[in-house]
Amino acid sequence: PRAALLTALRDAIRTGRLAPGTRLPSSRTLAADLGLARNTVADAYAELVAEGWLTAQQGSGTRVADRAEPATPRRPRAPSPTAPAERSSRFSLTRHQRWEHRPAHDLRTGAPDVSAFPRPAWLTSARRALTAAPAHAFSHGDLRGAVQLRQALAGYLARARGVRADPDRIVICAGFAQGIALLARAVPGAIAVEEYGLPFHRELLEPVTRTRPLPVDAHGARTQLLDADPEFADVRAALLTPAHQYPLGVPLHPDRRAAVVEWAGRTGGLVLEDDYDGEFRYDRNPVGALQGLDPERVVYLGTASKALAPALRLAWMVLPDRLVEPVLAAKTPAEWTTGTLDQLTLADFLDCGAYDRHVRAMRHRYRARRDRLVGQLAARVPAARATGIAAGLHAVLRLPPGVTEPAALRTLQQADVALDPLSAFHHPAAPTDAQPPSLVVGYGTPAEHAYAAALDALCGALARCGQASGPTPPGSVS
């Protein structure tokens, strides 16, 4: 770990990602972020001070030495004209784009602060799970997933999200993407999707079925149109984000929740509920899962990607009883099983309470980050407005009047800040985008020690954009 840390710090200074004069986090803070011993970080700092890369003075902390001459930072390679993300939107989502270097300030959505992964607690659960695992656990597993994890999830989801789950109706997937692909193959007919959403979800669905964009407003998806608009006559399922619309951030209104469940019951349709970040709500009690209203008409989809880490590749579906066999039959041989040892570890992690403790700690951290984002915007870019901030790990940032998305992206790229414009999430078949120019800011993505610099770079770039567009009346942050 010490050698890897030395190499990473030298490279960051050499390439300019850590500029001369930059103050580094304390050895205690960086050790906690990286899961290392404090002495390991302190020794690495001391060696880099001795080599001349860093300076250390009492009262001013450890900083990058002024004499360090950075190379010119490389810019992201332009995406290929045939990149899938470009085929489905006007802009390419940066997380699906090739970067020649890791951006200095990563504010893209789609990942939590992975530096906060609870390594010691996870290792403890892994040891317990391996010790307790029967011999057959190391062979080919149940197509539905390890029974231990399905049992642990049934209890957790009922308690935390109001999901009515039986272990026999839970199917474990290698990530949300596999789950949605299986459902597309198992459920015939077109699928309605929210007009704002992840392009790669549509790319998973469209080789198998047709997608119909469902308009979204301040109350979430307009689910009443499933009955009222002939455009949706062939729709047999609706993929929704009811607790926290992605990416606009609004919850689905109770009347619309009731309307979509009634539509599914009357027509024999299905609601596919993507509960991607339901555990992270800050300003009031969490919005319960839609699935609790009608477990026979709503498929609940959850994932460990936001609460823990995308690298685990663990997600789950709570299915109506009639769908379990069709979904399992839709699995190809390459999809028959998901890594059992990680499933057993997650089961123990849930059962011993470590999952709850981690979620509580991260909820507190992300809320503090959201508040810092709101405060910095109000102080430095008052004409911008952050919305969709009651929950989740991202905010939609309405740009100051006169500032366009392409102009903002150019300025942010010059500051080596990576994020996405709101228009990149708009369904290409939906009517003209009516949302004002906006950016989607993933404030949950950076490591804790990197967040202040990322926020400073974001606000600085936006302030420069606002100045270039001329004076504007101040707005509010909400």
Side-chain angles (χ1 to χ4, degrees):
R2 180 174 171 277
L5 178 60
L6 286 167
T7 299
L9 287 171
R10 289 189 192 106
D11 286 347
I13 296 169
R14 187 181 295 115
T15 60
R17 286 189 284 122
L18 287 176
T22 299
R23 182 170 181 166
L24 299 184
S26 70
S27 57
R28 184 188 301 277
T29 299
L30 188 58
D33 285 345
L34 299 180
L36 300 176
R38 184 182 179 187
N39 286 344
T40 300
V41 177
D43 289 348
Y45 278 3
E47 182 166 335
L48 292 173
V49 168
E51 293 175 357
W53 294 98
L54 303 176
T55 62
Q57 293 182 357
Q58 188 71 28
S60 64
T62 304
R63 297 178 182 272
V64 178
D66 287 337
R67 72 173 191 81
E69 303 243 344
T72 303
R74 291 175 290 173
R75 296 297 172 203
R77 181 186 302 151
S80 161
T82 58
E86 284 197 349
R87 289 200 301 268
S88 60
S89 67
R90 283 167 286 169
F91 296 95
S92 178
L93 288 176
T94 54
R95 191 164 292 284
H96 301 281
Q97 177 179 329
R98 242 179 236 261
W99 282 67
E100 292 184 351
H101 75 298
R102 181 177 296 173
H105 309 294
D106 192 351
L107 291 170
R108 295 172 289 183
T109 64
D113 176 1
V114 293
S115 73
F117 184 82
R119 302 185 197 206
W122 185 261
L123 183 58
T124 298
S125 285
R127 285 173 174 153
R128 270 199 303 261
L130 281 172
T131 301
H136 63 75
F138 297 88
S139 186
H140 300 291
D142 190 318
L143 291 184
R144 292 169 297 182
V147 65
Q148 295 92 330
L149 178 55
R150 291 187 281 116
Q151 289 171 343
L153 282 170
Y156 173 78
L157 294 174
R159 170 172 53 82
R161 302 296 299 128
V163 172
R164 290 152 64 183
D166 182 282
D168 289 340
R169 293 165 62 165
I170 296 176
V171 173
I172 308 301
C173 312
F176 177 86
Q178 186 193 43
I180 202 70
L182 287 171
L183 288 166
R185 299 200 292 266
V187 179
I191 296 180
V193 298
E194 293 162 328
E195 67 173 331
Y196 285 91
L198 280 172
F200 94 86
H201 290 175
R202 299 193 296 268
E203 290 159 12
L204 285 167
L205 295 171
E206 286 170 354
V208 180
T209 186
R210 298 170 303 285
T211 64
R212 301 276 188 264
L214 193 60
V216 176
D217 60 21
H219 299 294
R222 296 176 60 191
T223 57
Q224 66 274 25
L225 296 178
L226 292 170
D227 266 328
D229 192 331
E231 176 71 17
F232 301 101
D234 63 342
V235 165
R236 293 295 174 265
L239 174 61
L240 304 175
T241 49
H244 189 229
Q245 201 285 324
Y246 187 85
L248 295 178
V250 296
L252 187 61
H253 190 278
D255 291 346
R256 297 184 181 182
R257 290 164 69 96
V260 73
V261 170
E262 190 280 330
W263 164 82
R266 185 176 52 76
T267 64
L270 278 173
V271 182
L272 313 181
E273 178 179 15
D274 179 4
D275 193 37
Y276 66 100
D277 66 356
E279 292 133 324
F280 296 107
R281 191 159 194 93
Y282 312 121
D283 296 329
R284 60 185 175 89
N285 292 331
V287 177
L290 182 66
Q291 189 262 7
L293 295 179
D294 191 345
E296 292 304 318
R297 292 298 172 190
V298 181
V299 175
Y300 177 89
L301 297 112
T303 174
S305 290
K306 301 299 184 294
L308 289 171
L312 290 177
R313 306 311 305 145
L314 286 175
W316 41 88
M317 298 183 285
V318 182
L319 299 166
D321 187 60
R322 62 189 170 85
L323 260 189
V324 174
E325 288 305 320
V327 165
L328 296 179
K331 284 191 168 190
T332 66
E335 299 170 305
W336 277 349
T337 57
T338 303
T340 302
L341 299 183
D342 278 346
Q343 291 186 57
L344 296 177
T345 302
L346 180 56
D348 182 272
F349 203 71
L350 285 160
D351 286 337
C352 75
Y355 189 92
D356 291 89
R357 290 190 292 274
H358 179 69
V359 167
R360 282 196 300 270
M362 296 311 296
R363 189 185 296 126
H364 177 77
R365 177 178 294 192
Y366 294 141
R367 178 172 184 163
R369 290 191 187 188
R370 180 207 64 174
D371 292 346
R372 289 170 67 186
L373 170 66
V374 170
Q376 286 287 308
L377 288 171
R380 299 177 60 183
V381 199
R385 192 164 62 91
T387 65
I389 58 174
L393 311 182
H394 74 274
V396 174
L397 183 58
R398 307 298 189 192
L399 290 169
V403 178
T404 65
E405 287 181 358
L409 290 173
R410 284 193 296 270
T411 304
L412 288 161
Q413 187 182 50
Q414 290 166 6
D416 213 7
V417 178
L419 46 65
D420 293 299
L422 178 61
S423 57
F425 299 88
H426 192 242
H427 195 298
T432 304
D433 187 355
Q435 294 290 333
S438 306
L439 304 174
V440 182
V441 180
Y443 57 80
T445 304
E448 188 70 9
H449 71 270
Y451 184 61
L455 192 53
D456 180 66
L458 171 69
C459 291
L462 292 175
R464 290 193 294 277
C465 285
Q467 291 164 1
S469 68
T472 57
S476 62
V477 178
S478 63

